Amino acid sequence: MQAINHVAGKAIPFGRKNVDTDVIIPAHWLKTVTRDGLGQGAFEAVKKEEGNVFTDERWAGAPILIAGDNFGCGSSREHAAWALLDMGITCVIAPSFSDIFSGNAFKNGILTVALPQAAIDRLMEVAQDQPIDIDLDTQTVTTRFQDRFTFDVDAFRKHCLLNGLDEVGLTMAQGDAISAYETKAREGLPFLANTLSTAA
């Protein structure tokens, strides 16, 4: 998982409320056996709307998505996070998120930032033609106009995101402790050690 500390650049001013995971990535895209290419299906129905922000070149390649309240509601499909990553999105800002979506986003290295609606409205305005800056270390969202919004983040999630640690990475980081436990277990259960040795 890619570490996140600082995300800066264009932000897609989507702002729509109650966007469920089927809107983020429709069900017919879930048949794939790889994460690659899911960005093409992201917001498929929205992209068909005239004047939508996802096909507007002004926000091409933007790493930030500004959404409305209750973003990521609906089904628990992890493909929603995969699709956002494949689009190049590494941070989503919204007033609130579905708990399951927020968890899936975190596990895949996407920072979710919850801010009050007034802050969202201001960022939507700024994002029309100016970049936005997000600093996970200081937990702030800033703009060139001296706007400064602070956000809360779980300490464990912050540690994992700053260090690029997914579940596999967290396990690997405990390698010494795991080896020590296995050694101690074998010493206390010699018959188990012999069994493991024979199996190997």
Side-chain angles (χ1 to χ4, degrees):
M1 184 170 87
Q2 189 71 35
I4 294 180
N5 182 8
H6 186 241
V7 182
K10 295 181 286 187
I12 302 171
F14 185 37
R16 191 173 299 183
K17 298 180 180 180
N18 300 313
V19 172
D20 64 37
T21 52
D22 194 54
V23 171
I24 299 172
I25 186 71
H28 66 88
W29 283 86
L30 308 189
K31 300 173 184 177
T32 179
V33 294
T34 176
R35 302 181 187 192
D36 297 334
L38 285 175
Q40 298 174 25
F43 301 101
E44 186 176 62
V46 179
K47 289 175 181 175
K48 295 177 182 177
E49 299 173 4
E50 185 176 352
N52 77 86
V53 292
F54 295 106
T55 57
D56 192 316
E57 285 300 314
R58 287 180 293 172
W59 296 290
I64 303 164
L65 174 66
I66 305 173
D69 197 34
N70 197 30
F71 185 77
C73 56
S75 76
S76 60
R77 66 190 68 168
E78 191 173 3
H79 297 68
W82 298 348
L84 290 173
L85 277 176
D86 200 53
M87 284 178 64
I89 300 295
T90 53
C91 180
V92 182
I93 306 173
S96 68
F97 299 88
S98 157
D99 287 342
I100 294 176
F101 170 80
S102 183
N104 285 336
F106 155 66
K107 290 177 182 179
N108 286 278
I110 298 175
L111 173 62
T112 54
V113 173
L115 291 176
Q117 187 62 52
I120 298 296
D121 293 340
R122 173 57 180 162
L123 292 175
M124 288 279 291
E125 178 184 355
V126 171
Q128 295 298 320
D129 56 13
Q130 295 295 325
I132 289 171
D133 191 288
I134 302 156
D135 191 301
L136 177 56
D137 191 44
T138 60
Q139 297 176 211
T140 57
V141 179
T142 57
T143 75
R144 293 179 177 177
F145 305 106
Q146 307 306 310
D147 299 294
R148 182 182 178 87
F149 306 108
T150 60
F151 60 90
D152 294 326
V153 60
D154 176 79
F156 173 71
R157 289 188 174 186
K158 180 177 180 178
H159 169 76
C160 291
L161 290 170
L162 285 173
N163 293 281
L165 296 172
D166 57 13
E167 291 170 332
V168 174
L170 284 168
T171 301
M172 296 299 290
Q174 299 298 318
D176 291 343
I178 293 170
S179 295
Y181 172 82
E182 290 178 341
T183 299
K184 186 175 181 180
R186 288 190 182 101
E187 291 172 352
L189 301 170
F191 65 89
L192 179 58
N194 292 334
T195 302
L196 292 174
S197 178
T198 302

